[in-house]
mmCIF file of all heavy atoms in Angstrom:
data_model
loop_
_atom_site.group_PDB
_atom_site.id
_atom_site.type_symbol
_atom_site.label_atom_id
_atom_site.label_comp_id
_atom_site.label_asym_id
_atom_site.label_seq_id
_atom_site.Cartn_x
_atom_site.Cartn_y
_atom_site.Cartn_z
ATOM 1 N N ILE A 9 -2.459 22.281 10.977
ATOM 2 C CA ILE A 9 -2.311 23.758 11.145
ATOM 3 C C ILE A 9 -3.000 24.108 12.417
ATOM 4 O O ILE A 9 -4.174 23.696 12.741
ATOM 5 C CB ILE A 9 -3.025 24.612 10.049
ATOM 6 C CG1 ILE A 9 -2.255 24.187 8.682
ATOM 7 C CG2 ILE A 9 -2.811 26.043 10.219
ATOM 8 C CD1 ILE A 9 -2.963 24.731 7.421
ATOM 9 N N ASP A 10 -2.180 24.862 13.343
ATOM 10 C CA ASP A 10 -2.707 25.138 14.726
ATOM 11 C C ASP A 10 -2.359 26.670 15.033
ATOM 12 O O ASP A 10 -1.456 27.163 14.401
ATOM 13 C CB ASP A 10 -2.159 24.219 15.596
ATOM 14 C CG ASP A 10 -2.835 24.165 16.923
ATOM 15 O OD1 ASP A 10 -3.943 24.853 17.134
ATOM 16 O OD2 ASP A 10 -2.522 23.312 17.895
ATOM 17 N N HIS A 11 -3.050 27.213 15.973
ATOM 18 C CA HIS A 11 -2.690 28.588 16.441
ATOM 19 C C HIS A 11 -1.437 28.536 17.229
ATOM 20 O O HIS A 11 -1.279 27.531 18.053
ATOM 21 C CB HIS A 11 -3.807 29.081 17.331
ATOM 22 C CG HIS A 11 -5.136 29.336 16.571
ATOM 23 N ND1 HIS A 11 -5.293 30.427 15.612
ATOM 24 C CD2 HIS A 11 -6.249 28.720 16.636
ATOM 25 C CE1 HIS A 11 -6.440 30.222 15.136
ATOM 26 N NE2 HIS A 11 -7.117 29.377 15.663
ATOM 27 N N GLY A 12 -0.531 29.471 17.004
ATOM 28 C CA GLY A 12 0.657 29.502 17.774
ATOM 29 C C GLY A 12 0.889 30.844 18.570
ATOM 30 O O GLY A 12 1.916 31.010 19.188
ATOM 31 N N SER A 13 -0.121 31.650 18.583
ATOM 32 C CA SER A 13 0.055 32.916 19.240
ATOM 33 C C SER A 13 -1.385 33.450 19.547
ATOM 34 O O SER A 13 -2.355 32.975 19.035
ATOM 35 C CB SER A 13 0.785 33.987 18.558
ATOM 36 O OG SER A 13 0.186 34.397 17.440
ATOM 37 N N LEU A 14 -1.418 34.510 20.353
ATOM 38 C CA LEU A 14 -2.632 35.273 20.784
ATOM 39 C C LEU A 14 -2.537 36.725 20.092
ATOM 40 O O LEU A 14 -1.471 37.212 20.133
ATOM 41 C CB LEU A 14 -2.631 35.405 22.222
ATOM 42 C CG LEU A 14 -3.727 36.117 22.912
ATOM 43 C CD1 LEU A 14 -5.135 35.401 22.717
ATOM 44 C CD2 LEU A 14 -3.425 36.525 24.369
ATOM 45 N N VAL A 15 -3.594 37.115 19.477
ATOM 46 C CA VAL A 15 -3.630 38.491 19.150
ATOM 47 C C VAL A 15 -4.682 39.201 20.016
ATOM 48 O O VAL A 15 -5.523 38.580 20.840
ATOM 49 C CB VAL A 15 -4.379 38.581 17.663
ATOM 50 C CG1 VAL A 15 -3.207 38.070 16.636
ATOM 51 C CG2 VAL A 15 -5.583 37.857 17.547
ATOM 52 N N TRP A 17 -7.095 41.071 20.216
ATOM 53 C CA TRP A 17 -8.591 41.055 20.117
ATOM 54 C C TRP A 17 -9.243 39.660 20.262
ATOM 55 O O TRP A 17 -10.429 39.569 20.270
ATOM 56 C CB TRP A 17 -9.124 41.731 18.926
ATOM 57 C CG TRP A 17 -8.674 40.875 17.659
ATOM 58 C CD1 TRP A 17 -9.256 39.907 17.103
ATOM 59 C CD2 TRP A 17 -7.508 41.155 16.829
ATOM 60 N NE1 TRP A 17 -8.581 39.485 15.945
ATOM 61 C CE2 TRP A 17 -7.590 40.329 15.781
ATOM 62 C CE3 TRP A 17 -6.530 42.247 16.783
ATOM 63 C CZ2 TRP A 17 -6.625 40.391 14.828
ATOM 64 C CZ3 TRP A 17 -5.622 42.291 15.928
ATOM 65 C CH2 TRP A 17 -5.674 41.288 14.834
ATOM 66 N N SER A 18 -8.421 38.760 20.522
ATOM 67 C CA SER A 18 -8.874 37.300 20.626
ATOM 68 C C SER A 18 -9.650 37.098 21.919
ATOM 69 O O SER A 18 -9.462 37.757 22.906
ATOM 70 C CB SER A 18 -7.694 36.420 20.570
ATOM 71 O OG SER A 18 -7.949 35.150 20.988
ATOM 72 N N TYR A 26 -0.009 27.578 23.878
ATOM 73 C CA TYR A 26 0.011 27.172 22.412
ATOM 74 C C TYR A 26 1.052 26.149 22.161
ATOM 75 O O TYR A 26 2.135 26.159 22.661
ATOM 76 C CB TYR A 26 0.229 28.377 21.587
ATOM 77 C CG TYR A 26 -0.889 29.449 21.573
ATOM 78 C CD1 TYR A 26 -0.704 30.514 22.537
ATOM 79 C CD2 TYR A 26 -1.995 29.196 20.947
ATOM 80 C CE1 TYR A 26 -1.862 31.263 22.630
ATOM 81 C CE2 TYR A 26 -3.103 30.055 20.963
ATOM 82 C CZ TYR A 26 -2.990 31.180 21.870
ATOM 83 O OH TYR A 26 -4.036 32.054 22.007
ATOM 84 N N GLN A 49 6.895 24.189 10.907
ATOM 85 C CA GLN A 49 7.437 25.535 10.935
ATOM 86 C C GLN A 49 6.440 26.341 11.806
ATOM 87 O O GLN A 49 5.159 26.071 11.892
ATOM 88 C CB GLN A 49 7.410 26.080 9.566
ATOM 89 C CG GLN A 49 8.342 25.493 8.621
ATOM 90 C CD GLN A 49 8.236 26.124 7.144
ATOM 91 O OE1 GLN A 49 7.680 27.118 6.958
ATOM 92 N NE2 GLN A 49 8.844 25.332 6.189
ATOM 93 N N ARG A 50 6.917 27.437 12.299
ATOM 94 C CA ARG A 50 6.113 28.495 12.899
ATOM 95 C C ARG A 50 5.996 29.666 11.821
ATOM 96 O O ARG A 50 7.117 30.212 11.392
ATOM 97 C CB ARG A 50 6.810 29.010 14.222
ATOM 98 C CG ARG A 50 6.727 28.115 15.277
ATOM 99 C CD ARG A 50 7.496 28.676 16.496
ATOM 100 N NE ARG A 50 7.344 30.063 16.850
ATOM 101 C CZ ARG A 50 6.532 30.487 17.846
ATOM 102 N NH1 ARG A 50 5.843 29.559 18.547
ATOM 103 N NH2 ARG A 50 6.396 31.710 18.053
ATOM 104 N N ILE A 51 4.974 30.064 11.399
ATOM 105 C CA ILE A 51 4.735 30.966 10.332
ATOM 106 C C ILE A 51 4.141 32.182 10.934
ATOM 107 O O ILE A 51 3.013 32.085 11.341
ATOM 108 C CB ILE A 51 4.007 30.447 9.083
ATOM 109 C CG1 ILE A 51 4.749 29.185 8.626
ATOM 110 C CG2 ILE A 51 3.696 31.513 8.029
ATOM 111 C CD1 ILE A 51 4.059 28.531 7.516
ATOM 112 N N GLU A 52 4.777 33.360 10.663
ATOM 113 C CA GLU A 52 4.114 34.596 11.109
ATOM 114 C C GLU A 52 3.369 35.238 9.962
ATOM 115 O O GLU A 52 3.705 35.169 8.763
ATOM 116 C CB GLU A 52 5.226 35.649 11.506
ATOM 117 C CG GLU A 52 5.917 35.284 12.793
ATOM 118 C CD GLU A 52 7.006 36.376 13.248
ATOM 119 O OE1 GLU A 52 6.930 37.547 12.654
ATOM 120 O OE2 GLU A 52 7.632 36.112 14.178
ATOM 121 N N ARG A 53 2.237 35.748 10.277
ATOM 122 C CA ARG A 53 1.347 36.477 9.277
ATOM 123 C C ARG A 53 0.745 37.646 9.889
ATOM 124 O O ARG A 53 0.544 37.737 11.081
ATOM 125 C CB ARG A 53 0.241 35.395 8.705
ATOM 126 C CG ARG A 53 -0.692 34.975 9.767
ATOM 127 C CD ARG A 53 -1.742 34.030 9.240
ATOM 128 N NE ARG A 53 -2.554 33.472 10.277
ATOM 129 C CZ ARG A 53 -3.603 33.984 10.832
ATOM 130 N NH1 ARG A 53 -4.008 35.137 10.405
ATOM 131 N NH2 ARG A 53 -4.281 33.388 11.737
ATOM 132 N N LEU A 54 0.165 38.495 9.047
ATOM 133 C CA LEU A 54 -0.584 39.756 9.468
ATOM 134 C C LEU A 54 -2.010 39.335 9.572
ATOM 135 O O LEU A 54 -2.584 38.931 8.634
ATOM 136 C CB LEU A 54 -0.333 40.866 8.602
ATOM 137 C CG LEU A 54 -0.859 42.158 8.921
ATOM 138 C CD1 LEU A 54 -0.196 42.692 10.271
ATOM 139 C CD2 LEU A 54 -0.610 43.208 7.873
ATOM 140 N N ALA A 55 -2.657 39.475 10.791
ATOM 141 C CA ALA A 55 -4.061 39.169 10.983
ATOM 142 C C ALA A 55 -4.756 40.454 11.117
ATOM 143 O O ALA A 55 -4.267 41.469 11.694
ATOM 144 C CB ALA A 55 -4.087 38.268 12.222
ATOM 145 N N THR A 56 -5.967 40.497 10.709
ATOM 146 C CA THR A 56 -6.819 41.633 10.822
ATOM 147 C C THR A 56 -8.095 41.371 11.576
ATOM 148 O O THR A 56 -8.825 40.382 11.272
ATOM 149 C CB THR A 56 -7.247 42.100 9.392
ATOM 150 O OG1 THR A 56 -5.990 42.445 8.652
ATOM 151 C CG2 THR A 56 -7.997 43.506 9.404
ATOM 152 N N SER A 57 -8.428 42.193 12.506
ATOM 153 C CA SER A 57 -9.566 41.945 13.345
ATOM 154 C C SER A 57 -10.954 42.322 12.731
ATOM 155 O O SER A 57 -10.712 43.119 11.604
ATOM 156 C CB SER A 57 -9.494 42.807 14.670
ATOM 157 O OG SER A 57 -9.796 44.058 14.454
ATOM 158 N N GLU A 61 -8.268 46.235 13.054
ATOM 159 C CA GLU A 61 -6.919 46.287 13.682
ATOM 160 C C GLU A 61 -6.153 45.217 13.148
ATOM 161 O O GLU A 61 -6.506 44.090 12.827
ATOM 162 C CB GLU A 61 -7.094 46.137 15.268
ATOM 163 C CG GLU A 61 -8.026 47.094 15.962
ATOM 164 C CD GLU A 61 -8.270 46.617 17.396
ATOM 165 O OE1 GLU A 61 -9.189 45.849 17.542
ATOM 166 O OE2 GLU A 61 -7.497 47.069 18.332
ATOM 167 N N GLN A 62 -4.816 45.440 13.117
ATOM 168 C CA GLN A 62 -3.768 44.560 12.675
ATOM 169 C C GLN A 62 -2.837 44.083 13.615
ATOM 170 O O GLN A 62 -2.446 44.888 14.544
ATOM 171 C CB GLN A 62 -3.168 44.882 11.378
ATOM 172 C CG GLN A 62 -4.073 45.149 10.223
ATOM 173 C CD GLN A 62 -3.394 45.446 8.910
ATOM 174 O OE1 GLN A 62 -2.450 46.125 8.942
ATOM 175 N NE2 GLN A 62 -3.830 44.899 7.831
ATOM 176 N N ALA A 63 -2.343 42.969 13.682
ATOM 177 C CA ALA A 63 -1.350 42.271 14.545
ATOM 178 C C ALA A 63 -0.693 41.128 13.884
ATOM 179 O O ALA A 63 -1.257 40.558 13.045
ATOM 180 C CB ALA A 63 -2.085 41.972 15.919
ATOM 181 N N THR A 64 0.538 40.809 14.379
ATOM 182 C CA THR A 64 1.153 39.655 13.964
ATOM 183 C C THR A 64 0.660 38.363 14.657
ATOM 184 O O THR A 64 0.650 38.408 15.844
ATOM 185 C CB THR A 64 2.721 39.722 14.055
ATOM 186 O OG1 THR A 64 3.157 40.931 13.363
ATOM 187 C CG2 THR A 64 3.511 38.565 13.631
ATOM 188 N N ALA A 65 0.289 37.428 13.843
ATOM 189 C CA ALA A 65 -0.168 36.088 14.439
ATOM 190 C C ALA A 65 0.786 35.069 14.146
ATOM 191 O O ALA A 65 1.464 35.179 12.945
ATOM 192 C CB ALA A 65 -1.591 35.725 14.003
ATOM 193 N N ILE A 66 0.981 34.027 14.797
ATOM 194 C CA ILE A 66 1.737 33.024 14.518
ATOM 195 C C ILE A 66 0.957 31.689 14.351
ATOM 196 O O ILE A 66 0.038 31.416 15.121
ATOM 197 C CB ILE A 66 2.840 32.719 15.584
ATOM 198 C CG1 ILE A 66 3.848 33.847 15.665
ATOM 199 C CG2 ILE A 66 3.663 31.445 15.262
ATOM 200 C CD1 ILE A 66 4.716 33.865 16.834
ATOM 201 N N ASP A 67 1.077 30.871 13.278
ATOM 202 C CA ASP A 67 0.560 29.601 13.004
ATOM 203 C C ASP A 67 1.596 28.618 13.082
ATOM 204 O O ASP A 67 2.649 28.700 12.667
ATOM 205 C CB ASP A 67 -0.159 29.582 11.599
ATOM 206 C CG ASP A 67 -1.295 30.593 11.543
ATOM 207 O OD1 ASP A 67 -2.145 30.714 12.519
ATOM 208 O OD2 ASP A 67 -1.397 31.312 10.494
ATOM 209 N N ILE A 68 1.132 27.309 13.531
ATOM 210 C CA ILE A 68 2.010 26.207 13.480
ATOM 211 C C ILE A 68 1.590 25.298 12.384
ATOM 212 O O ILE A 68 0.395 25.051 12.208
ATOM 213 C CB ILE A 68 1.889 25.336 14.841
ATOM 214 C CG1 ILE A 68 2.210 26.385 16.091
ATOM 215 C CG2 ILE A 68 2.694 24.184 14.783
ATOM 216 C CD1 ILE A 68 3.589 26.772 16.170
ATOM 217 N N VAL A 69 2.526 25.022 11.542
ATOM 218 C CA VAL A 69 2.261 24.303 10.271
ATOM 219 C C VAL A 69 3.118 22.983 10.191
ATOM 220 O O VAL A 69 4.397 23.133 10.332
ATOM 221 C CB VAL A 69 2.472 25.004 8.935
ATOM 222 C CG1 VAL A 69 2.190 24.171 7.712
ATOM 223 C CG2 VAL A 69 1.608 26.256 9.050
#
Side-chain angles (χ1 to χ4, degrees):
I9 302 173
D10 200 357
H11 295 289
S13 70
L14 174 72
V15 288
W17 61 81
S18 165
Y26 292 96
Q49 299 178 15
R50 289 173 46 99
I51 298 175
E52 290 187 6
R53 65 179 171 86
L54 188 60
T56 304
S57 77
E61 301 172 274
Q62 293 188 324
T64 299
I66 297 173
D67 294 318
I68 302 298
V69 180

